[in-house]
Amino acid sequence: MTDEQLNALKIAYTYMPQAIEVTRHEYGDRYAAVLEHIETVRAALLESGIDPDEVAGEINPELSPNSCY
């Protein structure tokens, strides 16, 4: 995967719902497919050495909370 493709995947991931937000009530019968899609993207990021939980802060640093360790 090129750097541009990886960056595009990161951007797309930031707009995906979090798995915890995906319910049958919100997504109907498609909820299982949506969860599979989220997991597919997470796996692709992990295979590329990217922590999916850190992507949103990297793409939109102004929207992520500051850490105060």
Side-chain angles (χ1 to χ4, degrees), residues 2-66:
T2 68
D3 287 342
E4 289 176 349
Q5 291 169 326
L6 184 56
N7 194 48
L9 187 61
K10 289 179 186 179
I11 292 168
Y13 184 73
T14 65
Y15 291 96
M16 294 179 80
Q18 295 293 313
I20 197 167
E21 299 169 343
V22 179
T23 64
R24 180 170 280 178
H25 176 72
E26 291 290 325
Y27 289 86
D29 292 336
R30 290 197 28 80
Y31 85 100
V34 172
L35 288 173
E36 286 179 29
H37 294 164
I38 293 168
E39 186 53 38
T40 298
V41 174
R42 284 183 63 85
L45 289 168
L46 287 169
E47 287 175 13
S48 297
I50 306 298
D51 181 352
D53 297 325
E54 300 294 324
V55 169
E58 179 183 335
I59 297 299
N60 296 308
E62 69 281 358
L63 299 178
S64 63
N66 291 333

